[in-house]
Amino acid sequence: MNVLLPTTGTAALLAQLSDFVPDDFINRLLLRIVAGTARGLEFRQLFRLLLLVLLTPAHSFNLLVELLPEQRAWRRFARLPNRRQVPTASILHEFRGRLGVGPLRRVNQHLLLPLLEGLAPERKTVALIDSTDLPAATSTYKKS
């Protein structure tokens, strides 16, 4: 089944993906892990703001924070109540720094579990590796 997604960064894409973000799971998970970084925001909002850096043309926290007041669809996706309550880039940096890889993997597992449970065990599957599965490109690995 081929499903065409709307263009990256558009309101249509964000509206389509928004329901798949497990807000309650994220709040429960991160409450124990990164307590103290929210500064008036819920963890789900901060997590959604991190996703916006991936889903929009604003690929830095500084640019995201600068554009958020004029991008209603982005604020709606992040569940921000209005254009005046936008976090600073330093809050997003601090949140990302405290978040770490473990919680991101738990969220990924939470999203994948329903998909994997529906697969027949005898069905052939394909595994994809991502950059976190590969060694870092350092001078140790380069040919001289």
Side-chain angles (χ1 to χ4, degrees):
M1 177 168 118
N2 289 336
V3 177
L4 295 177
L5 292 173
T7 304
T8 302
T10 61
L13 176 70
L14 297 176
Q16 193 169 349
L17 296 178
S18 186
D19 292 338
F20 292 100
V21 180
D23 291 328
D24 293 336
F25 177 78
I26 289 168
N27 273 340
R28 283 191 314 272
L29 173 68
L30 299 184
L31 182 63
R32 296 185 302 263
I33 297 171
V34 291
T37 61
R39 296 187 191 164
L41 294 168
E42 295 180 35
F43 295 116
R44 68 184 177 115
Q45 292 171 309
L46 292 168
F47 188 85
R48 285 171 171 267
L49 286 164
L50 296 184
L51 290 176
L52 281 174
V53 174
L54 302 171
L55 298 172
T56 65
H59 296 301
S60 73
F61 291 146
N62 291 331
L63 183 57
L64 179 70
V65 168
E66 186 178 325
L67 295 176
L68 265 174
E70 58 192 58
Q71 296 293 331
R72 178 178 286 179
W74 296 8
R75 290 192 317 272
R76 189 178 305 124
F77 178 82
R79 308 277 200 249
L80 297 175
N82 58 53
R83 68 174 57 193
R84 290 181 302 279
Q85 291 184 331
V86 175
T88 63
S90 63
I91 290 174
L92 296 176
H93 282 289
E94 181 183 350
F95 177 70
R96 183 185 60 189
R98 287 192 179 189
L99 187 60
V101 174
L104 295 176
R105 288 186 175 155
R106 298 261 319 267
V107 171
N108 189 46
Q109 181 182 17
H110 179 80
L111 292 170
L112 283 176
L113 196 57
L115 296 172
L116 296 176
E117 287 176 344
L119 293 177
E122 64 276 355
R123 185 175 176 188
K124 292 184 180 187
T125 58
V126 175
L128 300 175
I129 60 171
D130 63 12
S131 62
T132 60
D133 297 325
L134 301 173
T138 63
S139 60
T140 308
Y141 298 106
K142 294 184 179 178
K143 294 180 183 178
S144 48

